[in-house]
Amino acid sequence: MRIVVLISGGGSNLQAIIDGCNQGNIAGHIVGVISNRPQVKGLERATQSGIAAYTLDHKAFDSREAFDDALAAQIDTLKPDLLILAGFMRILTPAFTQRYVGKMLNIHPSLLPKYPGLHTHKRALEAGDSEHGVTVHFVTAELDGGPAVIQAKIPVHADDTEATLAARVLEQEHIIYPQAAQWFCQGRLTLQNNTALLDGQPLN
C-alpha cells in the first residue's frame, strides 16, 4: 500500500508509522509526507528516512478551498492508497474529505465523541473525567466526527496535569495508529455506508 502522511508539526505519530513500515508491522510504505507549515521537525524525520517531503504553506493561499485544491493536487501525484493525518492541524473542506472518503484516517486525543476540536486534555481534567484517551477514526466532513476505528483508554490520576495526561495519551497514540494503518493495508479495515468495518464486522 502507498501511504501519504499529512503533518503540521513534530511528527511523532509520523515516526511511529515510519517505524511500523520499516519493521514490517505495516504492509505499506510512505511515498510522501506533506506539511502545511515549513521547517517543522516532521519534515526532518521524513528526509532522514529517505521519504519525499513537501511543504505547502497554507498561509500562501487566500482561501481554505484554494489550499485544499492545491493539497489534493499534490496528494494525487503520489497516488496514495491510504492518507494518514498525523497532527495535521487544518479543518478540511467537505469537497476534500469527500474526495478521499474511505481511505483517510485521523488520530484525535480524546475518547470521541467526547471533546472534538482542541484542548482535549484540559477539557477532560476540567470535567473531572476518570478516564481519557485517544481515537483513530475515518475522516468525514464532520470535524472529528467520522466513524471510530480503535480507541485506547488511560486512567486520569488525581495529580495529572495537561502535560502528564498528554504524554501518556501520546504513548497510546504510537501504539494504536500503526495498528489501524496495518488493518487498512491488510484490507481488513474498510468504510461502508459511514460505518467502519474490521473483517466485515462493524466496529463499535
Side-chain angles (χ1 to χ4, degrees), residues 54-72:
Y54 307 89
T55 300
L56 202 63
D57 191 342
H58 65 273
K59 293 178 181 177
F61 297 86
D62 58 9
S63 71
R64 197 175 293 280
E65 290 76 15
F67 172 78
D68 280 9
D69 286 348
L71 179 60

Side-chain angles (χ1 to χ4, degrees), residues 97-108:
T97 56
Q98 185 58 41
R99 186 186 189 107
Y100 301 108
V101 71
K103 64 177 194 177
M104 181 161 51
L105 295 175
N106 183 45
I107 193 161
H108 182 74

